[in-house]
Coordinates of all heavy atoms in Angstrom, one line a residue:
M1 N 12.3 36.7 -18.7 CA 11.9 35.3 -18.9 C 13.0 34.6 -19.7 O 13.3 33.4 -19.4 CB 10.6 35.4 -19.8 CG 10.0 34.0 -19.9 SD 9.1 33.8 -18.4 CE 8.1 32.5 -18.9
A2 N 13.6 35.3 -20.6 CA 14.7 34.7 -21.3 C 15.9 34.4 -20.4 O 16.6 33.4 -20.6 CB 15.2 35.7 -22.5
E3 N 16.1 35.3 -19.4 CA 17.2 35.1 -18.5 C 16.9 33.8 -17.7 O 17.8 33.0 -17.4 CB 17.4 36.3 -17.5 CG 17.9 37.5 -18.2 CD 18.0 38.7 -17.3 OE1 17.9 38.5 -16.1 OE2 18.2 39.8 -17.7
L4 N 15.7 33.6 -17.3 CA 15.3 32.4 -16.5 C 15.6 31.1 -17.3 O 16.1 30.1 -16.8 CB 13.9 32.4 -16.0 CG 13.6 33.5 -14.9 CD1 12.1 33.5 -14.6 CD2 14.4 33.1 -13.7
N5 N 15.2 31.2 -18.6 CA 15.4 30.0 -19.5 C 16.9 29.7 -19.6 O 17.3 28.6 -19.6 CB 14.7 30.3 -20.8 CG 13.2 30.1 -20.7 OD1 12.7 29.5 -19.8 ND2 12.6 30.7 -21.7
E6 N 17.7 30.8 -19.8 CA 19.1 30.6 -20.0 C 19.7 30.0 -18.7 O 20.6 29.1 -18.7 CB 19.8 31.9 -20.3 CG 19.6 32.4 -21.7 CD 20.2 33.7 -22.0 OE1 21.2 34.1 -21.3 OE2 19.8 34.4 -22.9
K7 N 19.2 30.6 -17.5 CA 19.7 30.0 -16.3 C 19.4 28.6 -16.1 O 20.2 27.8 -15.7 CB 19.1 30.9 -15.1 CG 20.1 31.5 -14.2 CD 19.5 32.2 -13.1 CE 20.4 33.2 -12.5 NZ 19.9 33.8 -11.3
S8 N 18.2 28.2 -16.3 CA 17.7 26.8 -16.1 C 18.5 25.9 -17.1 O 18.8 24.8 -16.8 CB 16.2 26.7 -16.3 OG 15.8 27.0 -17.5
Q9 N 18.7 26.4 -18.3 CA 19.4 25.7 -19.4 C 20.9 25.5 -18.9 O 21.4 24.4 -19.0 CB 19.4 26.3 -20.7 CG 19.9 25.5 -21.8 CD 19.8 26.2 -23.2 OE1 19.3 27.4 -23.2 NE2 20.0 25.5 -24.2
N10 N 21.5 26.5 -18.4 CA 22.9 26.4 -17.9 C 22.9 25.4 -16.7 O 23.9 24.6 -16.6 CB 23.4 27.8 -17.4 CG 23.7 28.7 -18.6 OD1 23.9 28.2 -19.7 ND2 23.8 30.0 -18.3
D11 N 22.0 25.5 -15.8 CA 21.9 24.5 -14.7 C 21.8 23.1 -15.2 O 22.4 22.2 -14.7 CB 20.8 24.9 -13.7 CG 21.0 26.2 -12.9 OD1 22.2 26.6 -12.9 OD2 20.1 26.8 -12.4
T12 N 20.9 22.9 -16.2 CA 20.7 21.6 -16.7 C 22.0 21.1 -17.4 O 22.4 19.9 -17.2 CB 19.6 21.6 -17.8 OG1 18.4 22.2 -17.2 CG2 19.3 20.2 -18.3
E13 N 22.7 22.0 -18.1 CA 23.9 21.6 -18.7 C 25.0 21.2 -17.7 O 25.7 20.2 -17.8 CB 24.5 22.7 -19.6 CG 23.7 22.9 -20.9 CD 24.1 24.1 -21.7 OE1 25.2 24.8 -21.2 OE2 23.5 24.4 -22.7
K14 N 25.1 22.0 -16.6 CA 26.0 21.7 -15.5 C 25.7 20.3 -14.9 O 26.6 19.5 -14.6 CB 26.0 22.8 -14.4 CG 26.6 24.1 -14.9 CD 26.5 25.1 -13.7 CE 27.1 26.4 -14.2 NZ 27.0 27.4 -13.1
V15 N 24.4 20.1 -14.6 CA 24.1 18.8 -14.0 C 24.4 17.6 -14.9 O 24.9 16.6 -14.5 CB 22.5 18.8 -13.6 CG1 22.1 17.4 -13.3 CG2 22.3 19.8 -12.5
S16 N 24.1 17.7 -16.2 CA 24.4 16.7 -17.2 C 25.9 16.5 -17.3 O 26.4 15.4 -17.5 CB 23.7 16.9 -18.5 OG 24.3 18.1 -19.1
S17 N 26.6 17.6 -17.3 CA 28.1 17.5 -17.5 C 28.7 16.9 -16.2 O 29.6 16.1 -16.3 CB 28.7 18.8 -17.8 OG 28.6 19.7 -16.7
E18 N 28.1 17.2 -15.0 CA 28.6 16.5 -13.8 C 28.3 15.1 -13.8 O 29.2 14.2 -13.4 CB 27.9 17.2 -12.6 CG 28.4 18.6 -12.3 CD 27.6 19.2 -11.1 OE1 26.8 18.5 -10.5 OE2 27.9 20.4 -10.8
K19 N 27.2 14.6 -14.4 CA 26.9 13.2 -14.5 C 27.9 12.5 -15.4 O 28.3 11.4 -15.1 CB 25.4 13.0 -15.0 CG 24.4 13.3 -14.0 CD 23.0 13.0 -14.5 CE 21.9 13.4 -13.5 NZ 20.6 13.2 -14.0
N20 N 28.2 13.2 -16.5 CA 29.2 12.6 -17.4 C 30.5 12.5 -16.8 O 31.2 11.5 -17.0 CB 29.3 13.5 -18.7 CG 28.1 13.4 -19.6 OD1 27.3 12.4 -19.5 ND2 27.9 14.4 -20.4
V21 N 30.9 13.5 -16.0 CA 32.2 13.4 -15.3 C 32.2 12.2 -14.3 O 33.2 11.5 -14.2 CB 32.5 14.8 -14.6 CG1 33.7 14.6 -13.7 CG2 32.8 15.9 -15.6
K22 N 31.1 12.1 -13.6 CA 31.0 11.0 -12.6 C 31.1 9.7 -13.3 O 31.7 8.7 -12.8 CB 29.7 11.1 -11.8 CG 29.8 12.2 -10.8 CD 28.5 12.3 -10.0 CE 28.5 13.4 -9.0 NZ 27.3 13.5 -8.2
K23 N 30.5 9.5 -14.5 CA 30.5 8.3 -15.2 C 31.9 8.0 -15.7 O 32.4 6.9 -15.7 CB 29.6 8.3 -16.4 CG 28.1 8.1 -16.0 CD 27.2 8.1 -17.2 CE 25.8 8.0 -16.8 NZ 24.9 8.0 -18.0
K24 N 32.6 9.0 -16.1 CA 34.0 8.8 -16.6 C 35.0 8.5 -15.5 O 35.9 7.8 -15.7 CB 34.5 10.1 -17.3 CG 33.9 10.4 -18.7 CD 34.4 11.7 -19.3 CE 33.7 12.0 -20.6 NZ 34.1 13.2 -21.2
N25 N 34.7 9.0 -14.3 CA 35.6 8.8 -13.2 C 35.3 7.4 -12.5 O 36.1 7.0 -11.6 CB 35.5 9.9 -12.1 CG 36.1 11.2 -12.7 OD1 36.9 11.2 -13.6 ND2 35.7 12.3 -12.1
K26 N 34.2 6.8 -12.8 CA 33.8 5.6 -12.2 C 34.8 4.5 -12.6 O 35.1 4.3 -13.8 CB 32.4 5.2 -12.6 CG 31.9 4.0 -11.8 CD 30.4 3.7 -12.2 CE 29.9 2.5 -11.5 NZ 28.6 2.1 -11.9
K27 N 35.3 3.7 -11.6 CA 36.2 2.6 -11.9 C 35.5 1.4 -12.5 O 34.4 1.2 -12.1 CB 37.0 2.2 -10.7 CG 38.0 3.2 -10.2 CD 38.8 2.8 -9.1 CE 38.6 1.6 -8.3 NZ 39.5 1.4 -7.2
P28 N 36.1 0.7 -13.4 CA 35.5 -0.5 -13.9 C 35.4 -1.5 -12.8 O 36.2 -1.5 -11.9 CB 36.4 -1.0 -15.1 CG 37.6 -0.1 -15.1 CD 37.3 1.0 -14.1
N29 N 34.5 -2.5 -13.0 CA 34.4 -3.5 -11.9 C 35.7 -4.4 -11.9 O 36.5 -4.4 -12.7 CB 33.2 -4.4 -12.1 CG 33.2 -5.3 -13.3 OD1 34.3 -5.7 -13.7 ND2 32.0 -5.6 -13.8
I30 N 35.8 -5.2 -10.9 CA 37.0 -6.0 -10.6 C 37.3 -6.9 -11.7 O 38.5 -7.1 -12.1 CB 36.9 -6.7 -9.2 CG1 38.2 -7.4 -8.8 CG2 35.7 -7.8 -9.3 CD1 39.2 -6.5 -8.4
F31 N 36.3 -7.6 -12.3 CA 36.6 -8.5 -13.4 C 37.2 -7.8 -14.6 O 38.0 -8.4 -15.3 CB 35.3 -9.3 -13.7 CG 34.9 -10.1 -12.6 CD1 33.7 -9.8 -11.9 CD2 35.6 -11.2 -12.1 CE1 33.3 -10.5 -10.8 CE2 35.2 -12.0 -11.0 CZ 34.0 -11.6 -10.4
Q32 N 36.7 -6.6 -14.9 CA 37.2 -5.9 -16.1 C 38.7 -5.5 -15.8 O 39.5 -5.5 -16.7 CB 36.4 -4.6 -16.3 CG 35.0 -4.9 -16.9 CD 34.1 -3.7 -16.9 OE1 34.3 -2.7 -16.2 NE2 33.1 -3.8 -17.8
R33 N 39.0 -5.1 -14.6 CA 40.3 -4.7 -14.3 C 41.3 -5.9 -14.3 O 42.4 -5.8 -14.8 CB 40.4 -4.0 -12.9 CG 39.8 -2.6 -12.9 CD 39.9 -1.9 -11.6 NE 38.9 -2.5 -10.7 CZ 38.9 -2.3 -9.4 NH1 39.9 -1.6 -8.8 NH2 38.0 -2.8 -8.6
I34 N 40.8 -7.0 -13.8 CA 41.6 -8.3 -13.9 C 41.9 -8.6 -15.3 O 43.0 -9.0 -15.7 CB 41.0 -9.4 -13.1 CG1 41.0 -9.1 -11.6 CG2 41.7 -10.7 -13.4 CD1 40.2 -10.1 -10.8
G35 N 40.9 -8.6 -16.2 CA 41.0 -8.9 -17.6 C 42.0 -8.0 -18.3 O 42.8 -8.4 -19.0
K36 N 41.9 -6.7 -17.9 CA 42.8 -5.7 -18.5 C 44.2 -6.0 -18.1 O 45.1 -5.9 -18.9 CB 42.4 -4.3 -18.1 CG 43.2 -3.2 -18.6 CD 42.8 -1.8 -18.1 CE 43.8 -0.8 -18.6 NZ 43.5 0.5 -18.0
F37 N 44.4 -6.3 -16.8 CA 45.7 -6.7 -16.3 C 46.4 -7.8 -17.1 O 47.5 -7.7 -17.6 CB 45.7 -7.0 -14.9 CG 47.0 -7.6 -14.3 CD1 48.0 -6.7 -14.0 CD2 47.1 -8.9 -14.1 CE1 49.2 -7.2 -13.5 CE2 48.3 -9.4 -13.6 CZ 49.3 -8.6 -13.3
F38 N 45.6 -8.9 -17.3 CA 46.1 -10.1 -18.1 C 46.4 -9.7 -19.6 O 47.3 -10.2 -20.1 CB 45.3 -11.3 -17.9 CG 45.5 -11.9 -16.5 CD1 44.5 -11.9 -15.6 CD2 46.6 -12.5 -16.2 CE1 44.6 -12.5 -14.4 CE2 46.8 -13.1 -15.0 CZ 45.8 -13.1 -14.0
R39 N 45.5 -8.9 -20.1 CA 45.7 -8.5 -21.6 C 47.0 -7.7 -21.7 O 47.8 -7.9 -22.6 CB 44.6 -7.7 -22.1 CG 43.4 -8.5 -22.5 CD 42.4 -7.7 -23.3 NE 41.8 -6.6 -22.5 CZ 40.9 -6.6 -21.6 NH1 40.2 -7.7 -21.3 NH2 40.5 -5.5 -21.0
E40 N 47.3 -6.8 -20.7 CA 48.5 -6.0 -20.8 C 49.7 -6.9 -20.5 O 50.8 -6.7 -21.1 CB 48.4 -4.9 -19.7 CG 47.5 -3.8 -20.1 CD 47.2 -2.8 -19.0 OE1 47.8 -2.9 -17.9 OE2 46.5 -1.8 -19.3
C41 N 49.6 -7.9 -19.6 CA 50.7 -8.8 -19.3 C 51.1 -9.6 -20.6 O 52.2 -9.7 -21.0 CB 50.3 -9.8 -18.2 SG 50.4 -9.1 -16.6
K42 N 50.1 -10.1 -21.3 CA 50.3 -10.9 -22.5 C 51.0 -10.0 -23.6 O 51.9 -10.4 -24.2 CB 48.9 -11.3 -23.0 CG 49.0 -12.2 -24.3 CD 47.7 -12.7 -24.7 CE 47.8 -13.6 -25.9 NZ 46.4 -14.0 -26.4
S43 N 50.6 -8.7 -23.7 CA 51.2 -7.9 -24.7 C 52.6 -7.5 -24.3 O 53.5 -7.4 -25.2 CB 50.3 -6.6 -24.8 OG 51.0 -5.4 -24.4
E44 N 52.9 -7.4 -23.0 CA 54.3 -7.1 -22.6 C 55.2 -8.4 -22.8 O 56.3 -8.2 -23.2 CB 54.3 -6.7 -21.2 CG 53.8 -5.3 -20.9 CD 54.6 -4.2 -21.6 OE1 55.9 -4.3 -21.6 OE2 54.0 -3.3 -22.1
M45 N 54.6 -9.5 -22.6 CA 55.4 -10.8 -22.8 C 55.8 -11.0 -24.2 O 56.8 -11.6 -24.5 CB 54.6 -12.0 -22.2 CG 54.4 -12.0 -20.7 SD 56.0 -12.0 -19.8 CE 56.5 -13.7 -20.1
K46 N 55.0 -10.5 -25.1 CA 55.3 -10.6 -26.6 C 56.6 -9.8 -26.9 O 57.3 -10.0 -27.9 CB 54.2 -10.2 -27.4 CG 53.0 -11.2 -27.4 CD 51.9 -10.7 -28.3 CE 50.7 -11.7 -28.2 NZ 49.6 -11.3 -29.1
K47 N 56.8 -8.7 -26.1 CA 57.9 -7.8 -26.4 C 59.3 -8.3 -25.8 O 60.3 -7.8 -26.1 CB 57.7 -6.5 -25.8 CG 56.4 -5.8 -26.3 CD 56.2 -4.4 -25.6 CE 54.9 -3.8 -26.0 NZ 54.6 -2.6 -25.3
V48 N 59.2 -9.4 -25.0 CA 60.4 -9.9 -24.3 C 61.2 -10.7 -25.3 O 60.7 -11.4 -26.1 CB 60.0 -10.8 -23.1 CG1 61.2 -11.4 -22.5 CG2 59.3 -10.0 -22.1
T49 N 62.6 -10.5 -25.2 CA 63.5 -11.3 -26.0 C 64.0 -12.4 -25.1 O 64.7 -12.1 -24.1 CB 64.6 -10.5 -26.6 OG1 65.3 -9.8 -25.6 CG2 64.1 -9.5 -27.6
W50 N 63.8 -13.6 -25.4 CA 64.2 -14.7 -24.6 C 65.5 -15.3 -25.0 O 65.9 -15.3 -26.2 CB 63.2 -15.9 -24.7 CG 61.8 -15.4 -24.2 CD1 60.8 -15.0 -24.9 CD2 61.4 -15.4 -22.8 NE1 59.7 -14.7 -24.1 CE2 60.1 -14.9 -22.8 CE3 62.0 -15.7 -21.6 CZ2 59.3 -14.7 -21.7 CZ3 61.2 -15.5 -20.5 CH2 60.0 -15.0 -20.5
L51 N 66.3 -15.7 -24.0 CA 67.6 -16.3 -24.3 C 67.4 -17.7 -24.9 O 66.4 -18.4 -24.6 CB 68.5 -16.5 -23.1 CG 68.9 -15.2 -22.4 CD1 69.6 -15.5 -21.1 CD2 69.8 -14.4 -23.3
S52 N 68.4 -18.2 -25.7 CA 68.3 -19.5 -26.2 C 68.6 -20.5 -25.1 O 69.1 -20.1 -24.0 CB 69.3 -19.7 -27.4 OG 70.6 -19.7 -26.8
G53 N 68.4 -21.8 -25.3 CA 68.6 -22.8 -24.3 C 70.1 -22.9 -23.9 O 70.5 -23.1 -22.8
K54 N 70.9 -22.7 -25.0 CA 72.4 -22.8 -24.8 C 72.9 -21.6 -23.9 O 73.7 -21.8 -23.0 CB 73.1 -22.8 -26.1 CG 74.5 -23.2 -26.2 CD 75.0 -23.3 -27.6 CE 76.3 -24.0 -27.7 NZ 76.7 -24.1 -29.1
E55 N 72.4 -20.4 -24.2 CA 72.8 -19.3 -23.4 C 72.3 -19.4 -22.0 O 73.0 -19.0 -21.0 CB 72.2 -18.0 -24.0 CG 72.8 -17.6 -25.4 CD 72.1 -16.5 -26.0 OE1 70.9 -16.4 -25.9 OE2 72.8 -15.7 -26.7
T56 N 71.1 -19.9 -21.8 CA 70.5 -20.1 -20.4 C 71.4 -21.1 -19.6 O 71.7 -20.9 -18.5 CB 69.1 -20.6 -20.5 OG1 68.3 -19.6 -21.3 CG2 68.5 -20.7 -19.2
F57 N 71.8 -22.2 -20.3 CA 72.6 -23.2 -19.6 C 74.0 -22.6 -19.2 O 74.4 -22.8 -18.1 CB 72.8 -24.4 -20.5 CG 73.6 -25.5 -19.9 CD1 73.1 -26.3 -19.0 CD2 75.0 -25.6 -20.3 CE1 73.9 -27.3 -18.4 CE2 75.8 -26.6 -19.7 CZ 75.2 -27.4 -18.7
K58 N 74.6 -21.9 -20.1 CA 75.9 -21.2 -19.8 C 75.8 -20.3 -18.6 O 76.6 -20.3 -17.7 CB 76.5 -20.5 -21.0 CG 77.0 -21.4 -22.1 CD 77.4 -20.7 -23.3 CE 78.4 -19.6 -23.1 NZ 78.9 -19.0 -24.4
S59 N 74.7 -19.5 -18.6 CA 74.5 -18.5 -17.5 C 74.3 -19.2 -16.2 O 74.8 -18.8 -15.1 CB 73.4 -17.6 -17.8 OG 73.6 -16.8 -19.0
S60 N 73.5 -20.3 -16.2 CA 73.3 -21.1 -15.0 C 74.5 -21.7 -14.5 O 74.8 -21.7 -13.3 CB 72.2 -22.2 -15.3 OG 71.0 -21.6 -15.7
V61 N 75.4 -22.2 -15.4 CA 76.7 -22.8 -14.9 C 77.5 -21.8 -14.3 O 78.1 -22.0 -13.2 CB 77.4 -23.5 -16.1 CG1 78.8 -23.8 -15.7 CG2 76.6 -24.7 -16.5
I62 N 77.6 -20.6 -14.8 CA 78.4 -19.5 -14.3 C 77.9 -19.1 -12.9 O 78.6 -18.9 -12.0 CB 78.4 -18.2 -15.2 CG1 79.2 -18.6 -16.5 CG2 78.9 -17.0 -14.5 CD1 79.0 -17.5 -17.6
V63 N 76.6 -19.0 -12.7 CA 76.0 -18.7 -11.4 C 76.3 -19.8 -10.4 O 76.7 -19.4 -9.2 CB 74.5 -18.5 -11.5 CG1 73.8 -18.5 -10.1 CG2 74.1 -17.3 -12.3
V64 N 76.2 -21.0 -10.7 CA 76.5 -22.1 -9.8 C 78.0 -22.1 -9.4 O 78.4 -22.2 -8.2 CB 76.2 -23.5 -10.4 CG1 76.7 -24.6 -9.6 CG2 74.6 -23.6 -10.5
V65 N 78.9 -21.9 -10.4 CA 80.4 -21.9 -10.1 C 80.7 -20.7 -9.2 O 81.5 -20.9 -8.2 CB 81.2 -21.8 -11.4 CG1 82.6 -21.5 -11.2 CG2 81.0 -23.1 -12.2
V66 N 80.2 -19.5 -9.5 CA 80.5 -18.3 -8.7 C 80.0 -18.5 -7.3 O 80.6 -18.2 -6.3 CB 79.9 -17.0 -9.3 CG1 80.0 -15.9 -8.4 CG2 80.7 -16.7 -10.6
T67 N 78.8 -19.1 -7.1 CA 78.2 -19.4 -5.8 C 79.0 -20.3 -5.0 O 79.3 -20.1 -3.8 CB 76.7 -19.9 -6.0 OG1 76.0 -19.0 -6.7 CG2 76.1 -20.2 -4.6
L68 N 79.5 -21.4 -5.6 CA 80.3 -22.4 -4.9 C 81.7 -21.7 -4.5 O 82.2 -22.0 -3.4 CB 80.6 -23.6 -5.8 CG 79.4 -24.5 -6.0 CD1 79.7 -25.6 -7.0 CD2 78.9 -25.1 -4.7
A69 N 82.3 -20.9 -5.4 CA 83.5 -20.3 -5.1 C 83.4 -19.3 -3.9 O 84.2 -19.3 -3.0 CB 84.0 -19.5 -6.3
L70 N 82.3 -18.6 -3.8 CA 82.0 -17.7 -2.7 C 81.8 -18.5 -1.4 O 82.2 -18.0 -0.4 CB 80.9 -16.8 -3.0 CG 81.1 -15.6 -4.0 CD1 79.8 -14.9 -4.3 CD2 82.2 -14.7 -3.4
C71 N 81.1 -19.6 -1.5 CA 80.9 -20.5 -0.3 C 82.2 -20.9 0.2 O 82.4 -20.9 1.4 CB 80.0 -21.6 -0.7 SG 78.3 -21.2 -0.9
V72 N 83.1 -21.4 -0.6 CA 84.4 -21.9 -0.2 C 85.2 -20.7 0.4 O 85.8 -20.9 1.5 CB 85.2 -22.5 -1.4 CG1 86.6 -22.7 -1.0 CG2 84.5 -23.8 -1.8
A73 N 85.2 -19.6 -0.2 CA 85.9 -18.4 0.3 C 85.4 -18.0 1.7 O 86.2 -17.8 2.6 CB 85.9 -17.2 -0.7
I74 N 84.1 -17.9 1.8 CA 83.5 -17.5 3.1 C 83.8 -18.6 4.1 O 84.1 -18.2 5.3 CB 82.0 -17.2 3.0 CG1 81.8 -15.9 2.1 CG2 81.3 -17.1 4.3 CD1 80.3 -15.7 1.7
G75 N 83.8 -19.8 3.8 CA 84.1 -20.9 4.7 C 85.5 -20.8 5.2 O 85.8 -21.0 6.4
L76 N 86.4 -20.6 4.3 CA 87.8 -20.4 4.7 C 88.1 -19.2 5.6 O 88.8 -19.3 6.6 CB 88.7 -20.3 3.4 CG 88.9 -21.6 2.6 CD1 89.6 -21.3 1.3 CD2 89.5 -22.7 3.4
I77 N 87.5 -18.1 5.3 CA 87.6 -16.9 6.1 C 87.0 -17.2 7.5 O 87.6 -16.9 8.5 CB 86.9 -15.7 5.5 CG1 87.7 -15.3 4.2 CG2 86.8 -14.6 6.5 CD1 87.0 -14.3 3.4
D78 N 85.9 -17.9 7.6 CA 85.2 -18.2 8.8 C 86.1 -19.1 9.7 O 86.3 -18.9 10.9 CB 83.9 -18.8 8.6 CG 83.1 -19.1 9.9 OD1 83.0 -18.2 10.7 OD2 82.6 -20.2 10.0
T79 N 86.7 -20.1 9.0 CA 87.5 -21.1 9.7 C 88.8 -20.4 10.3 O 89.2 -20.6 11.4 CB 87.9 -22.2 8.8 OG1 86.7 -22.8 8.3 CG2 88.8 -23.3 9.6
A80 N 89.4 -19.5 9.5 CA 90.6 -18.8 9.9 C 90.3 -17.9 11.1 O 91.0 -17.8 12.0 CB 91.2 -18.0 8.7
L81 N 89.2 -17.2 11.0 CA 88.8 -16.3 12.1 C 88.5 -17.1 13.4 O 88.8 -16.7 14.5 CB 87.6 -15.4 11.7 CG 87.9 -14.3 10.7 CD1 86.6 -13.7 10.3 CD2 88.9 -13.3 11.3
E82 N 87.9 -18.3 13.2 CA 87.6 -19.1 14.4 C 88.9 -19.6 15.0 O 89.0 -19.5 16.3 CB 86.8 -20.4 13.9 CG 86.4 -21.3 15.1 CD 85.7 -22.5 14.6 OE1 85.5 -22.7 13.4 OE2 85.4 -23.4 15.4
Y83 N 89.8 -20.1 14.3 CA 91.1 -20.5 14.8 C 91.9 -19.3 15.5 O 92.5 -19.4 16.5 CB 92.0 -21.1 13.7 CG 91.6 -22.5 13.4 CD1 91.4 -22.9 12.1 CD2 91.5 -23.5 14.4 CE1 91.0 -24.3 11.8 CE2 91.2 -24.8 14.1 CZ 90.9 -25.2 12.8 OH 90.6 -26.5 12.5
G84 N 91.8 -18.1 14.9 CA 92.4 -16.9 15.5 C 91.8 -16.6 16.8 O 92.5 -16.3 17.8
V85 N 90.4 -16.6 16.9 CA 89.8 -16.3 18.2 C 90.1 -17.4 19.2 O 90.4 -17.1 20.4 CB 88.2 -16.2 18.0 CG1 87.5 -16.1 19.3 CG2 88.0 -14.9 17.1
V86 N 90.1 -18.7 18.9 CA 90.4 -19.7 19.8 C 91.8 -19.6 20.2 O 92.2 -19.8 21.4 CB 90.1 -21.1 19.2 CG1 90.7 -22.2 20.0 CG2 88.6 -21.3 18.9
G87 N 92.7 -19.3 19.3 CA 94.1 -19.1 19.7 C 94.3 -18.0 20.6 O 95.1 -18.1 21.6
L88 N 93.7 -16.8 20.4 CA 93.8 -15.7 21.4 C 93.2 -16.1 22.7 O 93.8 -15.7 23.8 CB 93.0 -14.5 20.8 CG 93.7 -13.7 19.7 CD1 92.8 -12.6 19.2 CD2 95.0 -13.1 20.2
R89 N 92.1 -16.8 22.7 CA 91.5 -17.3 24.0 C 92.5 -18.2 24.8 O 92.8 -18.0 26.0 CB 90.2 -18.0 23.8 CG 89.5 -18.3 25.1 CD 88.4 -19.3 24.9 NE 89.0 -20.6 24.5 CZ 88.3 -21.6 24.0 NH1 87.1 -21.5 23.7 NH2 89.0 -22.7 23.7
D90 N 93.1 -19.1 24.1 CA 94.0 -20.0 24.7 C 95.3 -19.3 25.2 O 95.8 -19.6 26.2 CB 94.5 -21.2 23.8 CG 93.3 -22.1 23.5 OD1 92.3 -22.1 24.2 OD2 93.4 -22.9 22.5
L91 N 95.7 -18.3 24.4 CA 96.9 -17.5 24.8 C 96.6 -16.7 26.1 O 97.5 -16.7 27.0 CB 97.3 -16.6 23.7 CG 98.5 -15.7 23.9 CD1 99.8 -16.6 24.1 CD2 98.7 -14.8 22.8
T92 N 95.5 -16.1 26.2 CA 95.1 -15.4 27.4 C 95.0 -16.2 28.6 O 95.4 -15.9 29.7 CB 93.8 -14.5 27.2 OG1 92.8 -15.4 26.8 CG2 94.0 -13.5 26.1
I93 N 94.5 -17.5 28.4 CA 94.3 -18.4 29.5 C 95.8 -18.8 29.9 O 96.1 -18.9 31.1 CB 93.5 -19.6 29.1 CG1 92.0 -19.2 29.0 CG2 93.6 -20.7 30.2 CD1 91.1 -20.2 28.4
H94 N 96.6 -19.1 29.0 CA 98.0 -19.6 29.2 C 98.8 -18.5 30.0 O 99.6 -18.8 30.9 CB 98.7 -20.0 28.0 CG 100.1 -20.5 28.1 ND1 100.4 -21.6 28.7 CD2 101.3 -19.9 27.8 CE1 101.7 -21.8 28.8 NE2 102.3 -20.7 28.2
L95 N 98.6 -17.2 29.6 CA 99.3 -16.1 30.2 C 98.6 -15.7 31.6 O 99.2 -14.9 32.3 CB 99.3 -14.9 29.3 CG 100.2 -15.1 28.0 CD1 100.0 -13.9 27.1 CD2 101.6 -15.4 28.4
G96 N 97.5 -16.3 31.9 CA 96.8 -16.0 33.1 C 96.0 -14.7 33.1 O 95.7 -14.1 34.1
L97 N 95.7 -14.2 31.9 CA 94.9 -12.9 31.8 C 93.5 -13.4 31.7 O 93.1 -14.0 30.7 CB 95.3 -12.2 30.6 CG 96.8 -11.7 30.5 CD1 97.1 -11.1 29.1 CD2 97.1 -10.7 31.6
N98 N 92.7 -13.0 32.7 CA 91.2 -13.3 32.7 C 90.4 -12.0 32.4 O 90.5 -11.1 33.1 CB 90.8 -14.0 34.0 CG 91.4 -15.3 34.2 OD1 91.6 -16.0 33.2 ND2 91.7 -15.6 35.4
F99 N 89.7 -12.0 31.3 CA 88.9 -10.9 31.0 C 87.4 -11.2 31.3 O 86.8 -12.1 31.0 CB 89.0 -10.5 29.5 CG 90.4 -10.0 29.2 CD1 91.3 -10.8 28.5 CD2 90.7 -8.7 29.5 CE1 92.6 -10.3 28.2 CE2 92.0 -8.2 29.2 CZ 92.9 -9.0 28.5

């Protein structure tokens, strides 16, 4: 009889522990997860070190200048290659070589 009581008690403990595990593994609803996301975002944003306005302006000017310089360089390379290809085409036509 004692063995039966112990067995039933062990089974009851297993069932209750399984219920606790299921409750722990259950995901919170969508609104709780969204709220948690925004709370974590707010806490991370407090850790960010922001540049001053002067530093931001200087960095922006550097980006614009480098971008314009690269545009000019790429444009010059493109134009040179275009003239080279047109020159080769005209040369082959002048020499009578048809490809």
